[in-house]
Amino acid sequence: MKFNVVDLTGKKVGNVEVSDSVFACDYNEALVHQVVVSQLANKRQGTMSALTRTEVRGGGAKPYRQKGTGRARQGSIVAPQYVGGGVVFAKKPRDFSQKINKNMKKAAFCSALSEKVRQNEVVVIDKFALAEVKTKHVANAVDALALKGRVMFVLGGYDQDALRASNNIPNVGVCEARTLNVYDIVSTKNIVLTVDAIKQIEEAAQQ
């Protein structure tokens, strides 16, 4: 498979040949969903904690006598129906993480990326080089490439200037090829890859 390579103005400057094993895989929706769910679950801290009625301070004495007051009988002020009482089935700290093996992650990554290619939502640029570190240059690049919706620029390495220039654009993100994951792909409308990023993705897929 070959991609046309353009610059940030949208002008074609060549083409690049890519691996079919990475960019032309069958789409496995169930696997992609499983990996995305695991990614989101692994981000959860699981530190929520509420007190049950046995853990709330107080409640040792009966609030008032059983009979003769005209009110409903009560045994403790830490019961769930009282303000400040314990919580029924209170949430406690827990581990939400899900284990996904390496081969499943790799297969889901290639599957999601290949589906983006089939949907014509992948653009390849020669390099992400800005004349100045200004937000307007990134915005102009997005317009020149005719990209609508959320855009993710995937670079070969860390680029502080690219991050600074794109930081204030709500629908534009920048990441390194080594950190690109399945959730990034499926949650983004358009993926813009540099030639260097493609090489790194292919190398990682072969490991």
Side-chain angles (χ1 to χ4, degrees):
M1 179 184 290
K2 288 186 177 180
F3 284 128
N4 290 329
V5 180
V6 299
D7 57 19
L8 288 179
T9 64
K11 179 181 177 182
K12 182 178 177 180
V13 294
N15 49 56
V16 62
E17 189 170 342
V18 298
S19 172
D20 288 347
S21 63
V22 178
F23 293 92
C25 298
D26 294 332
Y27 185 50
N28 189 336
E29 184 176 2
L31 179 59
V32 170
H33 176 267
Q34 184 178 355
V35 172
V36 169
V37 168
S38 72
Q39 278 187 243
L40 296 177
N42 294 344
K43 288 183 178 181
R44 297 184 67 174
Q45 288 184 315
T47 55
M48 67 289 189
S49 182
L51 302 181
T52 63
R53 62 181 297 166
T54 62
E55 297 167 324
V56 175
R57 186 171 182 271
K62 190 173 173 66
Y64 46 82
R65 59 183 178 159
Q66 181 82 348
K67 295 178 177 293
T69 64
R71 289 179 289 179
R73 54 195 175 189
Q74 302 292 341
S76 173
I77 60 172
V78 297
Q81 69 269 24
Y82 275 94
V83 175
V87 177
V88 181
F89 306 125
K91 293 183 177 181
K92 293 297 179 183
R94 56 169 289 195
D95 181 13
F96 288 95
S97 64
Q98 300 179 17
K99 294 186 69 174
I100 299 291
N101 66 48
K102 183 178 178 181
N103 289 335
M104 291 175 68
K105 287 181 182 179
K106 188 183 299 183
F109 180 88
C110 294
S111 177
L113 194 56
S114 298
E115 183 63 15
K116 282 291 181 184
V117 173
R118 280 188 286 273
Q119 297 294 332
N120 295 319
E121 295 174 347
V122 174
V123 178
V124 180
I125 59 176
D126 55 347
K127 56 185 177 180
F128 192 84
L130 301 174
E132 293 180 273
V133 187
K134 290 186 177 293
T135 302
K136 67 178 181 181
H137 292 303
V138 179
N140 291 339
V142 172
D143 291 338
L145 296 172
L147 302 176
K148 303 295 182 182
R150 180 165 171 75
V151 180
M152 178 67 77
F153 286 94
V154 184
L155 312 182
Y158 177 74
D159 189 336
Q160 185 176 3
D161 291 343
L163 290 169
R164 285 178 56 201
S166 61
N167 231 7
N168 285 336
I169 307 178
N171 291 328
V172 175
V174 174
C175 75
E176 299 177 58
R178 65 182 181 84
T179 63
L180 183 67
N181 56 56
V182 179
Y183 179 71
D184 289 336
I185 296 172
V186 300
S187 65
T188 304
K189 175 68 174 175
N190 299 286
I191 304 292
V192 183
L193 302 168
T194 64
V195 175
D196 288 341
I198 289 177
K199 293 178 181 176
Q200 288 193 24
I201 290 172
E202 290 180 338
E203 289 174 2
Q206 293 172 359
Q207 294 177 357

